[in-house]
Structure formats: C-alpha cells, structure tokens
Amino acid sequence: MASPIVTATIQGAVISVISNILAQAITAHQTSTPLVIDWIPVFQYALFAAISTPPNFLWQEFLEGAFPAYHMAPTAEAVASAAASNDAELDDETRKGRIVEPRLNKRNTLIKTVLDQTVGAALNTLAFSMFVGGIRQGMRHHYDVAGAGKKGGWGFLLQGKDAVRYEQVRWDSVWESAKTEFWPLVKAGWRFWPMVSLINFVFLTSVQARSLVGSLAGLGWGVYISLVTAQ
C-alpha cells in the first residue's frame, strides 16, 4: 500500500491535470473554438503538483503536530458526577469510556488557519509563480517548432534534456512577474482557501483526509489559476 504522502501526491497531480483540461475546455467554449488539448500546460501543472504536494503534506503534519486540533476534556457526565461526588457514577462512566472526549481546540485552530493562510500561502504562491514562469520560458521552443497558435502534443516528452531548456529562462523576468502577480493571487486565494482550511481543521482529524479535501477544493482553484495564468 502506498504511503499517505505518495497517495496525496498522485491525487494532486491527477486533479491538476483535470483542472487544466477543464480550463482549456472553458476557454474553447468562451471563444467558440474547437477543443484541442494543449498537453504542455497540462504537463507543467501536473509536474508542479507532484513537486509541491509532498512539502505541503509535511507542512500540514507540522501544523497538526504543533497545534493539535483536538484535546481530551472531561465529558459533561463526568463533570456532573464529580461535582456530586458520585463515585459509583464515575466508576460506571469509566467502564463505559465516557470520562473524557475529544474537544475542538479553538485557539489552535485559529493559529493553524492564520499560519496556513499567511506563511503557507506566501510560500506556495511564490513557488507556483517561479515554477510556472520558469518552465513556460524553458518550454517555449516547442511552440516555435509547432508554429504560432498551434497546440503542443506529447512529443516533447521524447526529447530528453531538450524537453525543458532552462538555460533559456530569464530568471530576472520570472522574478519580476512573480512579484507582480503575488498580491493578486494571494488576495484571490483569501476569498477561497480560509474556508477550506477551517473545514479541514474543524471537521477532519487526519492529514490524509485534509489532503484529499484540499485536492478536491483545488480542482476549482486549479481551473481558476489555469484561466488566469493563460491570459
């Protein structure tokens, strides 16, 4: 059985592929043109998901380890029995496992949400902009070969080291573009991801489940990002 981090990585890559294809389908519909899949951005987004999912998974594990969502607290029944000095009732609740129960730690949940939507959002946004900007420049020659306006097929995967020409990437321009789009992307994310984070932290207890929900939410976000960055 695959480890949780491997499973999450595969899920993220598959959802990135789907979201980019959906974005291309939406663009084709809006422009009244036939849908011809451009596999180059599909590959780029899938690769970014494969690279970025493991550190994000570890980030979520760190947050949960440092600020657990739930702590054990006495049940209402146990508190009532203790207040009444009813040892018989306490013994009965002990046998039935009703002395303590998991309870949401609101302080930790707030801290995790703030950290996730500030530190996490900033790092993810910069990583995305730098990666996508760099790999787009490094794969631009495939469109030059195909011709203006042509879509990229899967042939680039057979070109080995020539698939991505990183020596042609102008990292200064990539960095300038990343700085320009940083706040618009972060602000757009703040309209969406805080609610996803709260749902994850409040209702889900495992990092694996949170990763799945985050990936599913990322389907819609991925469509939006694909549409925005394709402009």
Side-chain angles (χ1 to χ4, degrees):
M1 181 179 294
S3 67
I5 195 168
V6 171
T7 300
T9 301
I10 295 172
Q11 289 171 349
V14 170
I15 287 174
S16 289
V17 168
I18 296 172
S19 64
N20 190 265
I21 292 176
L22 285 175
Q24 293 189 43
I26 292 171
T27 300
H29 175 73
Q30 291 175 336
T31 57
S32 299
T33 56
L35 174 60
V36 179
I37 302 299
D38 185 350
W39 292 106
I40 291 178
V42 173
F43 165 77
Q44 293 168 348
Y45 279 79
L47 182 60
F48 176 74
I51 294 173
S52 63
T53 298
N56 273 289
F57 190 94
L58 296 175
W59 165 249
Q60 293 299 324
E61 281 193 332
F62 163 76
L63 289 178
E64 184 59 28
F67 309 100
Y70 288 85
H71 64 275
M72 301 308 294
T75 62
E77 295 86 349
V79 172
S81 298
S85 299
N86 192 331
D87 293 336
E89 283 293 329
L90 280 174
D91 290 340
D92 182 60
E93 285 152 7
T94 300
R95 286 193 299 271
K96 295 178 179 178
R98 296 192 311 215
I99 289 293
V100 294
E101 62 183 354
R103 191 167 296 171
L104 179 67
N105 190 314
K106 297 178 181 178
R107 173 181 173 274
N108 283 358
T109 300
L110 178 61
I111 291 173
K112 284 192 295 187
T113 302
V114 170
L115 288 175
D116 198 34
Q117 296 306 311
T118 52
V119 178
L123 292 176
N124 274 302
T125 301
L126 282 175
F128 171 81
S129 295
M130 292 296 294
F131 178 89
V132 172
I135 200 170
R136 279 184 172 176
Q137 287 192 22
M139 299 185 74
R140 185 178 296 161
H141 60 286
H142 296 294
Y143 293 106
D144 296 336
V145 172
K150 296 293 183 64
K151 304 293 185 180
W154 283 109
F156 65 90
L157 291 177
L158 304 177
Q159 297 183 17
K161 294 182 179 179
D162 196 50
V164 183
R165 297 176 180 174
Y166 274 110
E167 69 277 5
Q168 296 183 356
V169 178
R170 294 179 52 214
W171 290 108
D172 56 339
S173 68
V174 172
W175 174 243
E176 289 302 318
S177 296
K179 289 192 295 183
T180 300
E181 64 190 17
F182 177 79
W183 282 116
L185 286 177
V186 168
K187 290 176 181 178
W190 282 343
R191 300 188 188 101
F192 177 74
W193 285 110
M195 184 59 64
V196 176
S197 292
L198 281 173
I199 291 172
N200 267 342
F201 293 145
V202 172
F203 297 107
L204 302 175
T205 57
S206 71
V207 173
Q208 296 93 317
R210 291 171 184 169
S211 179
L212 175 59
V213 170
S215 293
L216 292 175
L219 178 61
W221 177 251
V223 171
Y224 169 78
I225 288 295
S226 295
L227 290 171
V228 169
T229 55
Q231 295 175 355

